[in-house]
């Protein structure tokens, strides 16, 4: 039989989805599964976006421009200007989700065996994109004890070698919920300039910040124009994960012109979804105010409920809608599977994402899970109650 590629063999399975067969089996047995494992918001998509698709009378669903429609890119630039990020339509390539922007970014700036430094734990699919690009992820540990703050710059510097091409951060972070301060961004900027590296920031959760904290984009820093690449998406901002629209933004002309060639190979981003995404930019501010208030109160409730559990440690998220939780178990993978296979309370169980898959260093995060607070408060309280009962039982087996 012809053999598959080495790359294919090394492609990591998603730690978020690998427990799905166990969840399906639990559901077949009649157990209700509360999903804390996946970042699919339950928030309604803005009506303006859905109406734009409903009211369209396209007769030929044609390809759009490779870089995305002109009017959409102009409107994205106007959206950024309101965030004090000054870019032009020509600095933007519309992509099929932030996912495609990430793979374009890696393909554009890195060759096989080049290295990219990423603070861990990180969005697990970075491993997948790096594997597909043949790029080596060099992790740098951020710790739950520090709430996952930026590791000291000196420890980044130790990892920079001749193959290092870029540093990638996720701000606010998935899975950590960490929001980098302006000071931390400035430190990273100095570092990439000193070593002539790229700084990629995945800012898909930009809107979701709490306690009045402000997001600071790498595109706001003067002097970083040739180094900064931003990955963005409508998925979480407008609860439009299924639209599959994102974008790659950089003021570096070589980056955009090269990424455009990758984009040409896949022809164009989806046409209908661009219409929806363009209309979504007219979403009134009150939508965000309400959504952020809802996430903030879910966050507060979740954290205070988790803190009641013995032996549980939680990093307080300041952004996005995830948190990393340390459990009094040795192997969170085993615990997560056991929750689905062997436990229920009042007919329900919970599905969590074991955090080891969010680390590149083997052995780290083994006793941690990631929780996404994308469910209503009542469900969150129930889920934590189930988690508490389950921990007691699991640790007495
Ligand atoms: C940090 C981060 N980046 C990128 C993505 C990709 O999202 P999409 O391709 O839906 O835009 C996600 C999705 O969960 C994410 O959490």
């Amino acid at each position: 039989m012809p053999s598959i590629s080495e790359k294919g063999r090394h492609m990591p399975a998603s730690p978020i989805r690998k427990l799905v067969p166990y969840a399906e089996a639990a559901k077949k047995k009649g157990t209700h599964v509360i999903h804390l494992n996946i970042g699919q918001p339950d928030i309604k998509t803005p009506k303006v976006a859905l109406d734009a698709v409903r009211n369209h009378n396209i007769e030929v669903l044609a390809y759009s421009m490779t870089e995305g429609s002109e009017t959409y890119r102009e409107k994205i630039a106007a959206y950024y200007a309101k965030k004090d990020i000054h870019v032009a339509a020509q600095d933007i390539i519309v992509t099929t989700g932030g996912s495609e922007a990430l793979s374009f970014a890696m393909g554009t700036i890195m060759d096989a065996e080049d290295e990219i430094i990423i603070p861990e734990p990180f969005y697990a699919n970075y491993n997948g994109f790096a594997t597909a690009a043949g790029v080596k992820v060099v992790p740098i540990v951020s710790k739950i004890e520090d709430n996952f703050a930026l590791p000291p710059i000196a420890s980044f510097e130790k990892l920079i070698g001749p193959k290092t091409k870029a540093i990638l951060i996720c701000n606010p972070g998935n899975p950590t919920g960490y929001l980098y301060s302006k000071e931390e961004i400035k430190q990273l900027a100095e570092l990439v300039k000193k070593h002539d590296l790229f700084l990629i920031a995945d800012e898909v959760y930009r809107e979701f910040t709490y306690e009045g904290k402000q997001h600071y984009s790498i595109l706001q820093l003067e002097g970083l124009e040739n180094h900064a690449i931003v990955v963005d998406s409508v998925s979480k901002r407008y609860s439009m994960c299924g639209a599959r629209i994102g974008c790659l933004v950089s003021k570096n002309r070589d980056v955009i012109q090269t990424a455009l060639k990758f984009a040409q190979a896949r022809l164009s981003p989806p046409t209908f979804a661009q219409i929806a995404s363009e209309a979504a930019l007219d979403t009134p501010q009150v939508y965000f105010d309400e959504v952020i208030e809802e996430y903030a109160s879910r966050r507060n409730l979740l954290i205070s409920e988790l803190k009641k559990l013995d032996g549980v440690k939680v990093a307080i998220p300041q952004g996005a809608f995830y948190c990393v939780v340390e459990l009094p178990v040795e192997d969170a993978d085993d615990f997560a599977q056991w929750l689905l296979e062997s436990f229920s309370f009042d007919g329900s169980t919970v599905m969590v994402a074991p955090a080891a898959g969010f680390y590149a260093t083997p052995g780290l995060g083994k006793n941690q899970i990631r929780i996404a607070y994308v469910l209503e408060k009542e469900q969150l309280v129930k889920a934590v109650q189930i988690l508490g009962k389950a921990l007691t039982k699991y640790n007495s087996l």
Side-chain angles (χ1 to χ4, degrees), residues 171 180-182 185-186 203 214-218 220-221:
N171 186 31
Y180 289 103
S181 66
K182 186 172 174 180
I185 298 290
K186 279 186 169 167
E203 300 185 356
Q214 288 286 321
H215 176 263
Y216 190 75
S217 171
I218 61 166
Q220 285 173 273
L221 271 186

Side-chain angles (χ1 to χ4, degrees), residues 156-203:
F156 273 92
E157 219 147 14
K158 277 191 213 140
L159 299 175
I160 296 174
K163 295 252 175 218
T164 313
K165 282 305 292 279
I167 294 173
L168 166 60
I169 57 164
C170 183
N171 186 31
N174 172 9
T176 61
Y178 189 75
L179 181 71
Y180 289 103
S181 66
K182 186 172 174 180
E183 202 36 56
E184 287 172 312
I185 298 290
K186 279 186 169 167
Q187 286 177 26
L188 279 176
E190 287 313 311
L191 185 70
V192 295
K193 281 197 281 185
K194 178 171 165 196
H195 294 274
D196 208 17
L197 307 174
F198 285 103
L199 179 59
I200 308 176
D202 179 338
E203 300 185 356

Side-chain angles (χ1 to χ4, degrees), residues 1 27 42 84 109 114 151-152 168 325 383:
M1 192 166 85
K27 286 176 197 168
D42 62 344
D84 201 24
I109 61 171
D114 279 347
L168 166 60
V325 185

Side-chain angles (χ1 to χ4, degrees), residues 97-99 102 123 126 170 174 202 204-205 233 235-236 244:
S99 304
L102 279 160
Y123 175 51
Y126 294 161
C170 183
N174 172 9
D202 179 338
V204 306
Y205 296 98
S233 170
S235 290
K236 318 289 162 153
R244 310 308 307 127

Side-chain angles (χ1 to χ4, degrees), residues 16 38-40 95-102 122-126 129 169-175 202-205 231-236 240-247 320-322 358 370:
I16 305 161
I38 198 151
Q40 168 59 62
T95 53
T96 307
S99 304
E100 193 179 61
L102 279 160
F122 54 75
Y123 175 51
N125 285 331
Y126 294 161
F129 297 123
I169 57 164
C170 183
N171 186 31
N174 172 9
D202 179 338
E203 300 185 356
V204 306
Y205 296 98
V231 167
D232 213 338
S233 170
V234 305
S235 290
K236 318 289 162 153
M240 281 174 64
C241 296
R244 310 308 307 127
I245 291 287
C247 63
F321 36 67
Y322 307 96
F358 297 91
R370 184 196 73 172

